[in-house]
Amino acid sequence: MLTLIHTADWHLGQTFHGQERHAEHRAFLAWLLDTLVERQADALLVAGDIFDVVNPSLAAQELLYDFIVAAHERLPRLDMVLIAGNHDSGNRVELPAPLMRRLRTHALGRVSWLEDGRLDADRLLVPLTDAAGETRAWCLALPFLRPAEVTGAAPAKGEKPSDPHAVAPDDDAPALNDYVAGISRVHRQLVEAALQRREPGQALVAMSHAHLHGAAVSEASERPIVIGGEESISAALFPAEIAYVALGHLHRAQQVGEARLRYSGSPLPLDFSEVGYAHQVVEVHLDGEALAEARPIPVPRPVAMQRIGPAPLAEVLIALEALEDDPALECERWPWLEVRVELEAPIPDLRARVDAALAGKAVRLLRLERRLPRREDATAPARMELEALGPRKLFALTWEERWKTPPDDDVLADFDRLHQEVLDGDALDDALGPRRRQETRP
């Protein structure tokens, strides 16, 4: 029996409405380390979005590397496998990989291709060993796949362009830019390599940072994984030979159809919209080549997160005055608070009245949302939150306002490619560091 702990979406270094969350992440990682020891885990799988941004702070990086060192010290036989997510810089994740391998930690940030066009699958296959050092499973560690990584490679030898999973070599062929086809090809070649590599009795465990068809997203906190809405992939990419699929990206913990297909979810709420559901890691037991059990382990919440409203101001003020708090808590453990007020008309001193109701309470008000009634004037511009819209929707609205017609599919596709190039360029600049920025400075 092999025991794995599956987690994802740590988002180390996240600033929550301008506030750092290092204390919460530090508390989670301490709990996770104790859990690994208590469960005598053989492997830890971290399915992407390790950091919140491609250029994480030194404090965020310190949290990760201190955890890896401490885990190796307390569990010298523990295998740790980390993949980059869409929030991560793949190059940054892989930068300390040679050093981390000495701590039995494998960090995969990018896919690469051999000269004959085949996927370099060997570097993505990580052996998972038991306490005796015997390989009991193979982890197919597949980092987040950016379109530029999977749509430009020629088909492998013997792979026909007519193959629905292949990327056509003709520059004019539509399949060249087919992101889904590229993803399918990567998955198929990696699974084939894993089936050839494993020996009888060894399980296959896939780890991927992706959005599966049918999975439930959170209300507001997940960034679209690929611009243009092509991010959703089919569970059919993970054949029955895969005993367990450890997924990352969606913050809501969930099983997708089969018990073997699971999102661990984020260990901490990353937005007030995530307050209402449990956060967890998943304990996985493998028996030979098969999944024996996958069960959640709830993550204790080091800092409470509370929402009041939406409600009229009078009700909100009563609720705030009745809010229970613990003055003995350290400031960094005070609850986060969001207040949503329904108004009939603007109130200039609203914030002052809310602050007065909270006076002396050990809470941190992070967000005060004012909800005004909709105007009856149909010509009046609608209120909107730019952050909630996202770049693509904002572009479409701007285009329609300028040209009096919605953008067609070709225009949106051009925007999607340009936006993705900007995101990839940011990640590349971060990986190359200050020297590249200095060299390119006018």
Side-chain angles (χ1 to χ4, degrees), residues 117-135:
R118 291 181 299 112
L119 175 73
D120 185 0
D122 286 345
R123 66 186 297 272
L124 303 177
L125 295 176
V126 179
L128 303 179
T129 60
D130 61 14
E134 296 292 329
T135 299

Side-chain angles (χ1 to χ4, degrees), residues 101-239:
R101 278 196 293 270
R102 295 181 177 272
L103 305 175
R104 300 183 65 86
T105 300
H106 304 265
L108 287 307
R110 298 280 185 181
V111 297
S112 57
W113 303 88
L114 303 175
E115 291 184 359
D116 61 1
R118 291 181 299 112
L119 175 73
D120 185 0
D122 286 345
R123 66 186 297 272
L124 303 177
L125 295 176
V126 179
L128 303 179
T129 60
D130 61 14
E134 296 292 329
T135 299
R136 298 298 181 189
W138 290 90
C139 179
L140 291 68
L142 196 58
F144 167 61
L145 299 171
R146 299 185 185 276
E149 292 179 286
V150 299
T151 58
K157 183 178 180 180
E159 186 176 68
K160 299 178 180 179
S162 58
D163 186 326
H165 298 299
V167 179
D170 184 357
D171 288 343
D172 296 327
L176 179 62
N177 294 317
D178 190 339
Y179 177 63
V180 175
I183 285 182
S184 300
R185 176 173 176 242
V186 170
H187 281 77
R188 181 172 56 80
Q189 291 192 17
L190 184 57
V191 170
E192 288 176 354
L195 290 171
Q196 294 175 4
R197 174 71 64 87
R198 78 163 175 184
E199 298 178 358
Q202 295 176 341
L204 297 182
V205 176
M207 182 162 58
S208 180
H209 193 86
H211 181 183
L212 256 61
H213 293 328
V217 301
S218 299
E219 177 184 321
S221 63
E222 284 128 351
R223 179 189 301 170
I225 195 167
V226 172
I227 307 303
E230 294 187 42
E231 69 270 22
S232 184
I233 64 175
S234 171
L237 294 178
F238 304 102

Side-chain angles (χ1 to χ4, degrees), residues 6 8-9 11 47-49 85-87 144 208-212 216-218 221-226 231 246-252 254 263-266 270 274:
H6 163 208
D9 296 279
H11 289 268
D49 281 356
N86 60 304
H87 279 248
F144 167 61
S208 180
H209 193 86
H211 181 183
L212 256 61
V217 301
S218 299
S221 63
E222 284 128 351
R223 179 189 301 170
I225 195 167
V226 172
E231 69 270 22
L247 295 164
H249 174 56
L250 299 185
H251 300 164
R252 184 188 295 270
Q254 58 194 287
Y263 285 94
S264 65
S266 59
L270 299 173
E274 298 184 10

Side-chain angles (χ1 to χ4, degrees), residues 351-406:
R351 179 59 188 253
R353 296 174 69 173
V354 169
D355 287 341
L358 290 172
K361 291 188 178 292
V363 296
R364 290 175 285 183
L365 176 61
L366 292 190
R367 187 166 187 261
L368 176 58
E369 178 183 343
R370 301 161 176 83
R371 296 192 172 188
L372 291 167
R374 294 181 178 274
R375 298 188 181 188
E376 296 182 0
D377 181 2
T379 63
R383 294 174 59 86
M384 61 185 67
E385 295 285 344
L386 295 183
E387 185 176 354
L389 281 177
R392 193 176 199 260
K393 181 64 174 176
L394 183 59
F395 169 77
L397 290 173
T398 304
W399 179 282
E400 185 171 359
E401 181 180 359
R402 173 66 177 83
W403 301 107
K404 310 306 179 187
T405 183

